[in-house]
Structures are given as structure tokens and as C-alpha cells.
Amino acid sequence: MRLVLFGPPGAGKGTQASLLVKREGLTQISTGEILRRAIREGTEVGCEARQYMDAGKLVPGKIVRSLAENAIAAVGYDQFILDGYPRTIEQAEWLTEFLERHDAPLTAVISLEVPDEHIVDRLSRRRVNGETGQTYHLDFNPPPDNVDPSHIVQRSDDQPDAIRKRLSVYRAETMPVRQYFEVHGELCKVDGTGELEEVYQRIRRSISRAKAATDTPT
Ligand code: AP5
């Protein structure tokens, strides 16, 4: 199974991807998380990416493409969920062509549909475990008592100015990717509001429908 989790910043892509990892045994490939790790480790890529990420802008496509390519190759072109990639038409075209070349077309592109008013609340109340990358929400999904509170931090791009910039970048550069996959037939729209488990079950049903459609002889 090869999935893309698509949606605006704060739609719940990372949260739902980690449920799919635990329950379906898929590997999550989050370009945002790979870049944040590079920043923590102080690599050359991390140093270059940091200025873009803190400002809420997209990291140059060439850098992210090579991270995505290496990560997909490392999992053997199967059983993965892409979270945060692709987010431009150029990235979507490259991914389609790259997976075709490896005879590994996408099973589905799950688009988490969440209205703007939820997004700002989700991002401003989000906290992450700086050691593990695990994501929480102060009200809906608080960090458990056994996690050291000193590890719980706010992402630098979850400040109001960066949130506004990320939403405008999403509308200008990433929204067209949704239409791209709609035209290509892989897009599955899923209501991303409600309890985490409800959203997860909707995603599961969409994946089952997409797999059934792919398996149907023509
Ligand atoms: P990335 O890390 O991918 O950030 P994003 O796309 O902005 O998405 P988020 O991680 O903010 O949100 P999410 O949808 O994963 O939501 P989450 O599950 O955390 O990218 C960061 C940056 O890296 C980019 O801005 C860019 O600079 C760079 N980058 C990455 N990929 C790139 C690419 N391909 N090209 C160029 N640059 C790239 O949930 C959010 C909050 O809501 C949490 O608190 C969560 O607990 C809560 N929540 C989740 N579900 C629910 C629910 N159902 N009800 C209530 N709360 C919920």
C-alpha cells in the first residue's frame, strides 16, 4: 500500500499517519519531520532548511526531492505513507513519474478536509515531544503523565506569523496538488473534523474503497 496524506497545515496528517503506522504497519515518511531532524542534528541540509521553515515558507524543491527519493527507496517502494509530500505541482509530477518508473503507483491520496477555524486552534494549541517528534494537542490529545514535561515544546513555525504564512503558501502552492490528484483519480476526500478515532475510521474506509477499485478487473 502506498499512500499520500494531504491537507493544510494542522489538518492532522502527522497524527493520523502515526495511527496508520501503529495499526497497519506502514512506514511514515514525513518530509517536515526529516527536515526538523536535520535541523536538530545541525546538518548542512538542516541549516539551509531552517530559515525557510521558521518563516513558514516551502524549502527548495531540490532539497526535499532528494530526501523523499532516499526515504521511499529505503522502504523498498511499498508500504509507506507520505506526509507533507508532495506540496507543489512540480513535486506531484515528479512523484508520479518516479513511482511509475518503479512500478509502484499510489494506492490513494487521502485529503483531510478541515475548515480554517479549526486549523488555527489546532496549531496554536499543538505541542510536540522534542525527543521523539510525537505530536499532542493541549485540549484534545494532551501529553500523557509519564512524558517528561521538559521534552514538550512548541514548534517554532507554530507562532502566529508563521501560521499565517504557511496557510497562504498552502493556498497558493499546495492546493493545486489536490486538483492534480483529483484529475488523476487517486484523490479521496475525508472529513478531518471530529474525534481522532472517527477520522481514522473514515480514512480506513477510504483506503478500502480505493483498494477495491484498484483490484477490480476492467
Ligand atoms: P510539515 O511538518 O509537513 O508541516 P505541515 O504540513 O504544515 O503540517 P503540520 O505538521 O503543521 O500539521 P499536520 O497536518 O501534520 O497536523 P498534526 O497531526 O500535527 O512541514 C513543516 C515545514 O517543512 C513546511 O512549512 C516547509 O517549510 C517544510 N516542508 C515539509 N515538506 C515540504 C515539501 N514537500 N516541500 C517543501 N517544503 C517542505 O495536528 C495538528 C494539531 O491538531 C495537533 O495538536 C494534533 O494533536 C491536533 N489534532 C489532530 N487531529 C485532530 C482532531 N481530529 N481533533 C482535534 N485536534 C486534532
mmCIF file of all heavy atoms in Angstrom, residues 23 44 67-68 115 139 172 191-192 194:
data_model
loop_
_atom_site.group_PDB
_atom_site.id
_atom_site.type_symbol
_atom_site.label_atom_id
_atom_site.label_comp_id
_atom_site.label_asym_id
_atom_site.label_seq_id
_atom_site.Cartn_x
_atom_site.Cartn_y
_atom_site.Cartn_z
ATOM 1 N N ARG A 23 -1.102 0.733 13.483
ATOM 2 C CA ARG A 23 -2.141 -0.282 13.260
ATOM 3 C C ARG A 23 -2.008 -1.038 11.945
ATOM 4 O O ARG A 23 -2.531 -2.129 11.803
ATOM 5 C CB ARG A 23 -3.517 0.385 13.319
ATOM 6 C CG ARG A 23 -3.754 1.032 14.675
ATOM 7 C CD ARG A 23 -5.142 1.605 14.738
ATOM 8 N NE ARG A 23 -5.332 2.427 15.926
ATOM 9 C CZ ARG A 23 -6.455 3.066 16.209
ATOM 10 N NH1 ARG A 23 -7.484 2.979 15.381
ATOM 11 N NH2 ARG A 23 -6.561 3.786 17.292
ATOM 12 N N GLU A 44 24.098 20.176 7.106
ATOM 13 C CA GLU A 44 24.082 21.252 6.113
ATOM 14 C C GLU A 44 22.659 21.496 5.598
ATOM 15 O O GLU A 44 22.206 22.632 5.474
ATOM 16 C CB GLU A 44 24.993 20.823 4.953
ATOM 17 C CG GLU A 44 25.534 21.968 4.151
ATOM 18 C CD GLU A 44 26.462 21.457 3.053
ATOM 19 O OE1 GLU A 44 27.334 20.621 3.360
ATOM 20 O OE2 GLU A 44 26.269 21.872 1.902
ATOM 21 N N LEU A 67 15.408 14.144 -0.346
ATOM 22 C CA LEU A 67 15.033 13.490 0.925
ATOM 23 C C LEU A 67 13.918 12.477 0.684
ATOM 24 O O LEU A 67 13.949 11.348 1.196
ATOM 25 C CB LEU A 67 14.560 14.533 1.949
ATOM 26 C CG LEU A 67 15.561 15.607 2.377
ATOM 27 C CD1 LEU A 67 14.902 16.595 3.329
ATOM 28 C CD2 LEU A 67 16.771 14.966 3.049
ATOM 29 N N ALA A 68 12.913 12.881 -0.127
ATOM 30 C CA ALA A 68 11.776 11.980 -0.398
ATOM 31 C C ALA A 68 12.243 10.755 -1.180
ATOM 32 O O ALA A 68 11.883 9.612 -0.863
ATOM 33 C CB ALA A 68 10.696 12.734 -1.182
ATOM 34 N N PRO A 115 -11.833 22.810 8.022
ATOM 35 C CA PRO A 115 -12.016 24.255 7.820
ATOM 36 C C PRO A 115 -10.975 25.091 8.575
ATOM 37 O O PRO A 115 -10.449 24.659 9.599
ATOM 38 C CB PRO A 115 -13.422 24.530 8.386
ATOM 39 C CG PRO A 115 -14.002 23.223 8.771
ATOM 40 C CD PRO A 115 -12.928 22.185 8.762
ATOM 41 N N ASP A 139 -5.683 20.335 24.490
ATOM 42 C CA ASP A 139 -7.042 20.004 24.937
ATOM 43 C C ASP A 139 -7.496 18.620 24.481
ATOM 44 O O ASP A 139 -8.056 17.857 25.261
ATOM 45 C CB ASP A 139 -8.048 21.041 24.401
ATOM 46 C CG ASP A 139 -7.589 22.455 24.708
ATOM 47 O OD1 ASP A 139 -7.259 22.708 25.878
ATOM 48 O OD2 ASP A 139 -7.525 23.275 23.771
ATOM 49 N N ALA A 172 -1.702 29.031 -2.114
ATOM 50 C CA ALA A 172 -1.119 29.409 -3.408
ATOM 51 C C ALA A 172 -0.421 28.238 -4.093
ATOM 52 O O ALA A 172 -0.556 28.041 -5.296
ATOM 53 C CB ALA A 172 -0.125 30.548 -3.200
ATOM 54 N N ASP A 191 -13.445 13.805 5.650
ATOM 55 C CA ASP A 191 -13.743 14.832 6.651
ATOM 56 C C ASP A 191 -12.743 14.680 7.803
ATOM 57 O O ASP A 191 -12.704 13.629 8.452
ATOM 58 C CB ASP A 191 -15.199 14.613 7.118
ATOM 59 C CG ASP A 191 -15.615 15.578 8.210
ATOM 60 O OD1 ASP A 191 -14.787 16.416 8.617
ATOM 61 O OD2 ASP A 191 -16.774 15.482 8.654
ATOM 62 N N GLY A 192 -11.928 15.719 8.044
ATOM 63 C CA GLY A 192 -10.876 15.632 9.066
ATOM 64 C C GLY A 192 -11.290 16.216 10.401
ATOM 65 O O GLY A 192 -10.447 16.406 11.270
ATOM 66 N N GLY A 194 -13.728 16.175 14.007
ATOM 67 C CA GLY A 194 -14.276 15.158 14.919
ATOM 68 C C GLY A 194 -13.141 14.488 15.681
ATOM 69 O O GLY A 194 -11.986 14.903 15.597
#
